[in-house]
Amino acid sequence: MKRILALVFFITLIWACSSDNGGEVPPADGGTDEPKEEPQEVSFERAPMLVNWADNIIIPAYTDFDSELENLTAAFENFNIDATTTNLIALREAWLTAYTKWQRISMFEIGPAESADFRFSMNTYPTDTDKINAHISSGSYDLTLSSNRASKGFPALDYLINGLGDSDEAIISKYTAPDKEALLTYTQAVLTDMNALTDQVVSDWQGSYRDTFVANDGASATASVDRFVNDYIFYFEKFLRAGKMGIPLGVFSGSPLPQNVEAFHEGEIANMLFLEGLQATQDFFNGKHYASTATGESLASYLDNLNTVKDGEDLKAVINNQLNKAREMVTSLDAFRTEIETNAPPTDMLLAYDEVQRIVPLLKVDMVSAMSISIDFVDADGD
């Protein structure tokens, strides 16, 4: 009898369990038993991005800069022949145009530019006016030496056409004095050095280096993308953020250094040069063709391909939004030199700097992490 009751109980229990589950065994993970989608492997072809960088951004920007440098040289030749106020103003305008174009290529410190020490040779500031004057007086100098970085390039020209006197008449008097030849010869030597360096870099890019750059499309520390992304971030952090804003503000020294603003002797254009550099970095991030509204494969499209988000937002949008915010803050400022020299502390400029600084971790941490790129330079400024 006990065996019969036990059998009935066992059959009843099985029937109850089958009824509760619709006759189906529940999935082991407690979820539904619907087929799961397999994770989609994310891939991004780096070669088309390198082609876009080389053919639509880097080489056209270098070529345009080369042309503007030729125009600057021609403007000086006119001034050399006839040192008038009109020709001095024309020389300054050509200098400013070329200097603005320089902001578009300064970030490209890879390959030929790296070999030529291009950035430091063209734009080391503050310029060493004592060394410049000594070179002019002695007539003996070699501008190809690294020890002369601070006595040549755009900052040296800033001194030579804006800083030799308090007025246009005072500056022109230097170029018309009996000993003018030494000054004219030195100014010509600075331009000759700038042209030689630029011709070398442009020629290499238009020659074999372009193909070498594009062909190196792998994913390693020595591949073109990894190296260029490092150089791009290094430029933004050290030369745009720190060099153009942080150092003159005294962020790293504890006290303002207005003499360290870019184009110190002109005095009014440091903001414009900064904003041009900022726009150049944003255009490059978005793959915008040089002097065009067209775009191609880029760091932004790379992040899109990876579906990268930060705090629930699209990382590409986060980066662009922060770049835009930084631009708005800097645009609202007076001239950098004026901000620093007339405000103690220069609060508005410091607040703008903070917005620029917020871009650094977005690029240096979030973006490179998504792309599995390692940072290859050492950060020594405590930010």
Side-chain angles (χ1 to χ4, degrees), residues 75 116 120 201 234 264 298 325:
F120 284 118
V201 173
F234 186 76
F264 171 80
S298 64
K325 186 173 184 180

Side-chain angles (χ1 to χ4, degrees), residues 212-291:
T212 300
F213 178 76
V214 170
N216 190 13
D217 61 355
S220 70
T222 58
S224 292
V225 171
D226 295 63
R227 289 193 60 213
F228 197 94
V229 167
N230 269 277
D231 292 340
Y232 170 78
I233 296 172
F234 186 76
Y235 166 76
F236 186 93
E237 181 179 5
K238 304 301 180 183
F239 293 92
L240 190 66
R241 178 213 58 152
K244 296 180 190 296
M245 286 192 77
I247 292 173
L249 272 169
V251 171
F252 312 106
S253 62
S255 58
L257 301 169
Q259 69 274 18
N260 283 19
V261 298
E262 194 170 15
F264 171 80
H265 297 283
E266 197 284 340
E268 297 292 324
I269 66 168
N271 305 48
M272 188 193 74
L273 298 178
F274 174 89
L275 289 168
E276 188 69 19
L278 184 68
Q279 188 64 57
T281 58
Q282 186 168 15
D283 287 347
F284 184 84
F285 173 75
N286 290 307
K288 185 179 179 183
H289 296 184
Y290 182 76

Side-chain angles (χ1 to χ4, degrees), residues 262-340:
E262 194 170 15
F264 171 80
H265 297 283
E266 197 284 340
E268 297 292 324
I269 66 168
N271 305 48
M272 188 193 74
L273 298 178
F274 174 89
L275 289 168
E276 188 69 19
L278 184 68
Q279 188 64 57
T281 58
Q282 186 168 15
D283 287 347
F284 184 84
F285 173 75
N286 290 307
K288 185 179 179 183
H289 296 184
Y290 182 76
S292 171
T293 58
T295 59
E297 292 287 13
S298 64
L299 297 173
S301 60
Y302 197 166
L303 291 176
D304 271 348
N305 185 272
L306 296 171
N307 298 313
T308 309
V309 298
K310 178 178 175 62
D311 299 329
E313 294 185 59
D314 176 57
L315 181 57
K316 179 188 76 173
V318 171
I319 292 172
N320 274 309
N321 289 340
Q322 188 57 44
L323 285 161
N324 292 337
K325 186 173 184 180
R327 180 183 302 102
E328 291 172 6
M329 292 287 286
V330 173
T331 300
S332 68
L333 298 173
D334 290 330
F336 284 174
R337 183 174 167 183
T338 301
E339 289 281 353
I340 296 169

